[in-house]
Amino acid sequence: MKRKGTYDYTLFFTILSLLGIGLVMVYSSSSVMALKRFDDSYLFIKKQALFSLIGIAFMVIYSLTPYQYLRKLSLPVLILGLMSLLMVWMPSIGTEIRGSSRWIKIFNLSFQPSEFAKLALILFLAHSLAKNHQNIKTFTMGFFPHFIITLFFILLILKEPDLGTSLNILVISLTMMFVAGVRVRYLLGVFSLAIPLTVFLIMGEQYRIRRILTFLNPWEDPLGRGFHIIHSFLAMGSGGWCGVGLGDGRQKLFYLPEPHTDFILSVIGEEFGLVGVIIIISLFLILIVKGIGIALRAPDLFGSYLALGITLLIGLQAFIHAGVVMGLMPTKGLTLPFISYGGSSLISGLVSMGILLNISYQRRT
Amino acid sequence: MNTNAKKWIRFRIYMVLICFLLFFTALAVRAFQLQVLKGEYLRTLAEKEYTGIIRLAQDRGVIYDRHKEILAISSYAYSIFADPTQITDPYSVACKLSAILKLNNRKLLNNLKKKRSFVWVKRQVTDGEAEEVRRLRIKGIHFLRENRRYYPDVYLACHLLGFAGVDAQGLEGLELSYDKYLKTKTGYSTAMRDALGRRIYSKIDFGGSRQGYDLILTIDKRIQHITEMGLKKVSQNTQAKGAMAIVMNPKTGEILAMANYPPFNPNTFLRYPPSVRRNRIITDTFEPGSTFKVFLIAGALEEGTVKPNHMFFCENGNYRIKGTSAIIKDVHQHGWLSASDIIKFSSNIGAVKIGQTLNSSCLFRYIKAFGFGEKTGIDLPGEVRGFINPPIKWSKVDKHYIAFGYGIATTAIQLLSAFSAIANDGVLMRPFVVKEIINKDGKTIKRFAPHVVRRVVSSKTAREVTSILEKVVEKDGTGRMAFLEGYRVAGKTGTARKAKSGGKGYSKDKYVASFMGFAPVEDPQIAVLVVVDEPKGVEYGGVVAAPVFKEITQKTMVCLNIPPQRVLMAQGKPGVLRQWISIIDGNGNKDDS
């Protein structure tokens, strides 16, 4: 029944295209800022290029490693992921940047454990959901353990605080459970609990309320809270059909916050216009359709769930990033996978693509 | 059961895919809405933000005359604004400020109580006022340096300089034609300012940003002043509609002075109608009349169809052109005249006879060679070509009229450029106004060298024409009032009836009186054209324009340090030399020897 497929070049080159566009856009959007803050306009592009090379190496290694091996490691990896989230709070290695403890620093290398934790959780859920396939409809075997593990992760990431990633993980986890066949009423139960909890969390933090209010009407305070999203709009609008040209965008010059990470799609929108935005959206859509196809044709349930989880991870994040810069969702810092600057998310993203490529390689026909 | 469960799993995976497709379609629709449907609106908003910043950032280069005397400069004026959110006691602030700045107290108070972070208090205040307010050190009161273009000599060279608008953009004259050099290019650095125009970051320079360059003109401020005074005097004395004059170095094409009357004040240019602000020397054409005979005789001499001493019968002042009803008249009746005397006495009939020695296409070739019907290429905006029909379109009489300067429209700059070719040994030069462009450190960015357009006539012909023109200013010539003691002057008068507006025929009482000449003949340093539009009373160029030429030339000779030759040679008369020196010194004391 199993047969070795061919290497999925469409997927491979889609990823490379996104990486290439990412390198160019990181330079275009960060050079001015990098020169100002660090006196080196190449700072971010140099690091990003290095991360890309490391990431590609990881991707190739993982694509050649049968994913079934990972299954054996899923539990240790899960524990490692939880530990890394805890390490954020260790004074010697945890670093606080702008009020958030999202980074840890070992040997002068800082990375964001939540990026790896997400992957660890997906790996474990895929393993556990496949293992409990026969009892999936039960509360104790099908729903409860998966939900508790997810909750652990969410609570730890909430503590950082990073509400966005927490919600992202919740959606991925619930969707995986839904696909695996966990009773919908349990999942709806989680939702009915999560919604008031989210509202409570938002109300508890001034900045979150402001974000929501700003989202609802950014023009109310264009020079204050609405400044960022309005300048994202101005960037998109200035781009028009074909954009103002690479490097000629002006909103990235201190109008947009974090143009090389959280608002990189605005810069693309300004410099390459609607055409550029549609190309990016299309590339992600290819990736998603490919990922779903791989989930459908995976040789076993574990592979199927794993492929689905990875697709959700990348697809949702891309959707949220685009939604935020275009004002469809409240402002929150999420990067655009493969394109935004950031070593941790780039490497974990490419590792997950390596796994996806391997599942594809072993697909059924 | 197993396969059934797997079917459901597949089904649910498809549901996830469908969700994704819907999400991403929504993204594409939103992108289309933002970038295309609302794109124009958002773009305007963004532009507004940038231009607001750029306006505050502008600074223009200085315009100097040839001796680095300032003609136009950018200065600053401070504007005062308030941030009401920072003001704790608007009442006392309003009281203090309204007293110093002479503002309405209540109005100011209302402004200061507004819930905004930016209100103007007063724009472009004097330095004294700014200093006084600054000394109060009120929290929430800020200053903004705004650019202002300033022409210190007010009317001087106004038409030439033109003017720059409130946003420091060149609108007319040199300010317009050299705008790209004068204006400060802000490039990327403009965007590196925040919403109040404060520099957030100034270190980056992508090469697009630079200070405005300075211009050094060929203009001599003193000669410009002399020229303008001459025009003012003649215009007021003759109640003329207007007047214009150009002083040019015939050897290089450098313009030393260029003036129109009436002038305007470029500091307040908005108060003047465009017709007054126009540099008519290059934008308006007129029929030159007799001055054009210079080019006719030059062509005829060059072709060899005429010699200066050839005799022509001037029909006693009344000549009907064969086969037509056109009658040509002279002011004074002449019988037989030499070609040289035809120019000296400016006989129209004589000119027609000289013209008859040349065929139409040959005459036309010379007219074109002197540069008529083409732009001179002077570095000022708005130059027109003038007008001359090709010979094919000439009627039977046209050629004869052209011979004495009718049926052709020229600009003043064309006329003087062409005339300068005679002074310059037969070589036509391109006139120019800007000598050099320098940056703020005084380094040359661009230098403009004299540009030879073409040789029009041989140097022998040029010399022959010159000696004919020298006779024009002799005691019995039409240009005798241009005679200047101590200098050899060559020139030609012109008195042209103005064409009736809208219809055929010529006006009976509206004239253009002109005189053009150069000096000193042995080594021409300046060529001068004076044109007086619609003088009242006397209309003759020799009476109206020639004295202005004389005055401009005499004073310019002093400026250029060219002593009167004949005086120097006449060793026995040191008194005249001393008189000349006294002109230089600026006191008109008679010598006592």
Side-chain angles (χ1 to χ4, degrees):
Chain A
M1 188 174 170
K2 277 184 207 170
R3 209 194 69 169
K4 287 217 163 181
T6 49
Y7 212 74
D8 197 332
Y9 285 108
T10 314
L11 182 57
F12 186 74
F13 285 114
T14 304
I15 297 161
L16 286 192
S17 308
L18 285 168
L19 274 181
I21 293 171
L23 281 177
V24 173
M25 292 319 297
V26 163
Y27 182 63
S28 171
S29 57
S30 74
S31 57
V32 171
M33 189 257 298
L35 187 62
K36 184 204 166 192
R37 293 200 193 141
F38 307 102
D39 262 316
D40 178 7
S41 67
Y42 297 105
L43 179 77
F44 290 106
I45 181 76
K46 281 193 293 201
K47 285 177 143 185
Q48 184 79 347
L50 183 66
F51 295 143
S52 300
L53 288 177
I54 296 170
I56 290 170
F58 270 113
M59 178 169 76
V60 172
I61 291 167
Y62 276 92
S63 70
L64 297 174
T65 314
Y67 70 90
Q68 288 84 353
Y69 293 163
L70 297 174
R71 193 165 183 177
K72 299 188 183 91
L73 293 171
S74 61
L75 198 62
V77 166
L78 182 78
I79 293 163
L80 210 66
L82 279 171
M83 275 169 59
S84 71
L85 285 176
L86 284 168
M87 284 201 299
V88 165
W89 302 100
M90 280 168 65
S92 54
I93 50 175
T95 27
E96 193 179 311
I97 300 178
R98 270 166 286 156
S100 308
S101 302
R102 296 179 189 175
W103 286 266
I104 58 176
K105 206 169 188 180
I106 305 168
F107 304 129
N108 234 353
L109 285 168
S110 56
F111 81 104
Q112 229 175 326
S114 57
E115 292 294 338
F116 295 95
K118 279 189 275 189
L119 200 52
L121 180 66
I122 288 166
L123 185 63
F124 176 78
L125 285 177
H127 159 69
S128 181
L129 287 169
K131 197 180 77 180
N132 296 322
H133 174 60
Q134 297 300 332
N135 304 314
I136 202 74
K137 297 285 177 200
T138 65
F139 183 81
T140 46
M141 299 289 275
F143 171 73
F144 192 68
H146 307 123
F147 176 66
I148 285 300
I149 295 293
T150 308
L151 200 62
F152 257 122
F153 274 82
I154 288 176
L155 288 177
L156 281 173
I157 294 172
L158 263 183
K159 191 88 180 71
E160 284 184 354
D162 191 345
L163 184 62
T165 306
S166 307
L167 288 172
N168 196 9
I169 287 177
L170 185 66
V171 173
I172 293 171
S173 174
L174 291 181
T175 311
M176 284 178 77
M177 285 194 253
F178 163 72
V179 169
V182 173
R183 281 190 191 282
V184 177
R185 67 178 113 123
Y186 301 147
L187 302 177
L188 287 177
V190 173
F191 258 113
S192 59
L193 285 175
I195 289 169
L197 189 73
T198 311
V199 171
F200 172 75
L201 285 173
I202 287 172
M203 290 307 178
E205 289 286 352
Q206 275 296 316
Y207 80 94
R208 286 180 183 147
I209 299 177
R210 281 202 300 272
R211 274 186 185 168
I212 299 292
L213 290 177
T214 304
F215 163 64
L216 294 175
N217 186 9
W219 302 97
E220 193 180 298
D221 187 8
L223 287 177
R225 301 189 300 270
F227 188 81
H228 295 162
I229 188 65
I230 283 176
H231 281 88
S232 181
F233 287 164
L234 294 185
M236 298 293 276
S238 303
W241 279 103
C242 294
V244 297
L246 178 62
D248 285 341
R250 290 188 281 187
Q251 292 291 343
K252 68 190 180 200
L253 302 165
F254 307 106
Y255 288 101
L256 284 172
E258 309 290 330
H260 60 314
T261 58
D262 294 353
F263 281 91
I264 201 157
L265 192 66
S266 315
V267 180
I268 295 174
E270 184 175 13
E271 299 189 350
F272 293 101
L274 183 64
V275 173
V277 173
I278 294 293
I279 287 173
I280 299 293
I281 290 176
S282 307
L283 286 171
F284 276 107
L285 213 50
I286 291 171
L287 211 147
I288 288 163
V289 171
K290 273 277 163 195
I292 295 288
I294 291 165
L296 287 169
R297 281 195 292 271
D300 54 15
L301 268 183
F302 170 63
S304 197
Y305 295 159
L306 191 56
L308 177 76
I310 288 167
T311 308
L312 282 168
L313 179 69
I314 303 298
L316 270 179
Q317 199 166 332
F319 171 69
I320 294 172
H321 177 96
V324 167
V325 305
M326 292 196 267
L328 293 174
M329 270 171 252
T331 329
K332 61 160 310 306
L334 260 195
T335 57
L336 187 59
F338 309 120
I339 292 190
S340 289
Y341 171 77
S344 307
S345 75
L346 190 60
I347 292 171
S348 76
L350 286 170
V351 164
S352 64
M353 285 300 112
I355 298 169
L356 197 60
L357 281 167
N358 184 262
I359 303 170
S360 162
Y361 194 52
Q362 300 188 30
R363 69 169 173 253
R364 291 172 295 142
T365 43
Chain B
M1 188 225 145
N2 200 4
T3 44
N4 196 28
K6 279 194 173 156
K7 244 185 217 164
W8 277 107
I9 290 171
R10 290 175 69 84
F11 174 72
R12 289 188 289 256
I13 291 177
Y14 275 120
M15 279 174 73
V16 173
L17 179 63
I18 287 166
C19 283
F20 266 123
L21 289 176
L22 288 176
F23 286 173
F24 276 69
T25 312
L27 288 182
V29 170
R30 176 65 169 168
F32 180 76
Q33 186 203 8
L34 273 179
Q35 304 200 265
V36 177
L37 299 182
K38 282 168 90 179
E40 192 65 32
Y41 168 70
L42 291 169
R43 215 168 6 255
T44 337
L45 271 187
E47 270 323 307
K48 227 189 230 168
E49 191 169 54
Y50 302 133
T51 46
I53 291 156
I54 289 162
R55 191 173 65 80
L56 302 175
Q58 282 288 345
D59 187 6
R60 287 175 77 79
V62 182
I63 301 180
Y64 296 107
D65 86 337
R66 64 186 303 131
H67 302 297
K68 279 208 95 176
E69 297 278 334
I70 290 168
L71 294 172
I73 194 164
S74 278
S75 68
Y76 292 96
Y78 280 96
S79 289
I80 302 177
F81 68 94
D83 179 353
T85 60
Q86 292 178 9
I87 290 175
T88 42
D89 183 4
Y91 294 94
S92 78
V93 172
C95 269
K96 285 179 197 162
L97 290 186
S98 58
I100 296 169
L101 301 171
K102 299 168 204 81
L103 291 170
N104 182 321
N105 193 352
R106 188 177 297 166
K107 233 184 196 171
L108 181 59
L109 183 60
N110 281 339
N111 269 336
L112 293 182
K113 287 203 289 194
K114 275 184 188 159
K115 277 184 184 161
R116 279 161 53 181
S117 57
F118 184 98
V119 290
W120 284 117
V121 174
K122 194 178 179 184
R123 293 193 73 173
Q124 309 216 340
V125 299
T126 65
D127 285 357
E129 286 172 334
E131 192 45 48
E132 248 183 286
V133 174
R134 206 184 296 266
R135 225 175 283 146
L136 293 175
R137 293 175 183 279
I138 303 168
K139 192 168 178 255
I141 296 294
H142 304 280
F143 296 84
L144 198 64
R145 225 160 71 130
E146 287 195 296
N147 185 282
R148 198 171 178 283
R149 195 63 162 164
Y150 185 57
Y151 303 90
D153 293 292
V154 191
Y155 298 112
L156 193 90
C158 53
H159 291 97
L160 188 72
L161 297 174
F163 43 83
V166 282
D167 292 336
Q169 78 281 33
L171 292 177
E172 254 304 349
L174 286 170
E175 296 272 26
L176 175 62
S177 56
Y178 284 89
D179 193 42
K180 68 172 177 172
Y181 294 104
L182 285 168
K183 74 180 170 197
T184 291
K185 266 173 105 179
T186 30
Y188 274 97
S189 61
T190 53
M192 266 153 276
R193 285 155 192 269
D194 67 12
L196 290 181
R198 292 183 301 223
R199 285 174 98 96
I200 301 174
Y201 189 55
S202 55
K203 194 175 167 191
I204 308 158
D205 187 343
F206 280 91
S209 154
R210 61 155 175 78
Q211 275 266 292
Y213 293 139
D214 297 344
L215 300 186
I216 297 178
L217 307 188
T218 58
I219 299 296
D220 185 318
K221 202 166 166 175
R222 298 166 301 171
I223 301 173
Q224 179 73 26
H225 178 74
I226 290 163
T227 308
E228 289 182 12
M229 288 305 107
L231 288 187
K232 186 178 177 183
K233 202 162 96 185
V234 69
S235 300
Q236 287 175 352
N237 288 347
T238 62
Q239 294 171 298
K241 190 177 157 200
M244 49 196 179
I246 317 167
V247 181
M248 176 166 152
N249 181 336
K251 292 175 178 177
T252 59
E254 288 170 286
I255 303 289
L256 298 171
M258 177 185 275
N260 290 264
Y261 189 89
F264 71 96
N265 179 354
N267 293 307
T268 55
F269 66 89
L270 282 173
R271 295 186 199 157
Y272 298 86
S275 59
V276 173
R277 304 191 305 219
R278 206 169 61 223
N279 188 356
R280 298 189 304 278
I281 287 173
I282 56 168
T283 61
D284 288 19
T285 60
F286 57 96
E287 287 176 287
S290 303
T291 47
F292 203 71
K293 290 170 190 164
V294 173
F295 311 112
L296 171 78
I297 188 78
L301 288 171
E302 179 76 5
E303 286 298 301
T305 58
V306 166
K307 291 266 179 283
N309 55 3
H310 275 184
M311 298 303 284
F312 292 90
F313 182 57
C314 291
E315 311 280 351
N316 292 320
N318 205 323
Y319 176 46
R320 169 187 285 224
I321 295 166
K322 237 183 246 166
T324 71
S325 60
I327 293 170
I328 291 164
K329 288 182 176 174
D330 276 340
V331 178
H332 301 285
Q333 295 170 6
H334 299 289
W336 287 88
L337 284 179
S338 69
S340 172
D341 284 344
I342 285 172
I343 303 300
K344 180 176 180 179
F345 300 121
S346 199
S347 162
N348 293 341
I349 297 166
V352 169
K353 297 252 169 126
I354 293 173
Q356 283 164 355
T357 68
L358 293 167
N359 65 41
S360 294
S361 65
C362 182
L363 177 60
F364 182 71
R365 204 173 70 233
Y366 278 99
I367 291 170
K368 293 293 273 187
F370 273 107
F372 295 103
E374 294 295 335
K375 291 179 182 178
T376 61
I378 191 168
D379 43 349
L380 287 168
E383 190 185 5
V384 297
R385 295 172 174 278
F387 174 78
I388 168 117
N389 264 333
I392 299 170
K393 290 189 179 171
W394 289 358
S395 68
K396 277 182 186 169
V397 292
D398 276 349
K399 181 187 161 193
H400 306 293
Y401 281 124
I402 288 167
F404 58 100
Y406 286 89
I408 169 171
T410 74
T411 60
I413 191 68
Q414 272 177 344
L415 198 56
L416 187 64
S417 297
F419 185 63
S420 291
I422 302 294
N424 188 33
D425 222 25
V427 176
L428 182 68
M429 303 299 290
R430 178 198 290 166
F432 65 105
V433 179
V434 176
K435 219 175 149 72
E436 204 178 333
I437 298 172
I438 56 172
N439 67 11
K440 289 286 174 225
D441 305 326
K443 228 186 93 197
T444 303
I445 300 299
K446 210 170 174 185
R447 198 189 296 274
F448 297 90
H451 177 88
V452 175
V453 179
R454 70 182 80 87
R455 175 169 281 282
V456 186
V457 291
S458 68
S459 88
K460 177 173 171 276
T461 304
R463 278 198 304 275
E464 279 176 351
V465 175
T466 303
S467 60
I468 293 172
L469 294 177
E470 223 182 330
K471 294 197 176 82
V472 173
V473 298
E474 282 175 357
K475 273 201 179 84
D476 52 345
T478 49
R480 59 188 165 275
M481 291 180 90
F483 176 77
L484 184 56
E485 197 178 350
Y487 299 93
R488 288 173 63 193
V489 172
K492 181 70 192 84
T493 58
T495 310
R497 286 173 190 269
K498 285 181 88 169
K500 278 182 188 162
S501 56
K504 282 194 165 186
Y506 286 88
S507 166
K508 282 202 172 67
D509 53 354
K510 287 181 180 165
Y511 291 87
V512 173
S514 57
F515 187 89
M516 59 186 189
F518 60 85
V521 163
E522 63 278 8
D523 181 20
Q525 294 300 314
I526 57 165
V528 182
L529 170 67
V530 177
V531 180
V532 182
D533 190 14
E534 295 185 23
K536 304 272 177 329
V538 206
E539 69 272 18
Y540 297 112
V543 181
V544 177
V548 185
F549 165 86
K550 180 182 171 179
E551 189 183 333
I552 292 173
T553 305
Q554 185 174 27
K555 290 181 176 168
T556 301
M557 286 297 144
V558 175
C559 285
L560 297 178
N561 221 359
I562 301 163
Q565 284 298 316
R566 283 179 195 166
V567 175
L568 282 183
M569 284 187 285
Q571 297 289 331
K573 288 168 78 182
V576 185
L577 181 60
R578 205 172 302 156
Q579 190 180 359
W580 178 72
I581 292 167
S582 74
I583 298 174
I584 300 176
D585 294 345
N587 53 29
N589 289 348
K590 291 270 173 212
D591 68 282
D592 51 7
S593 68

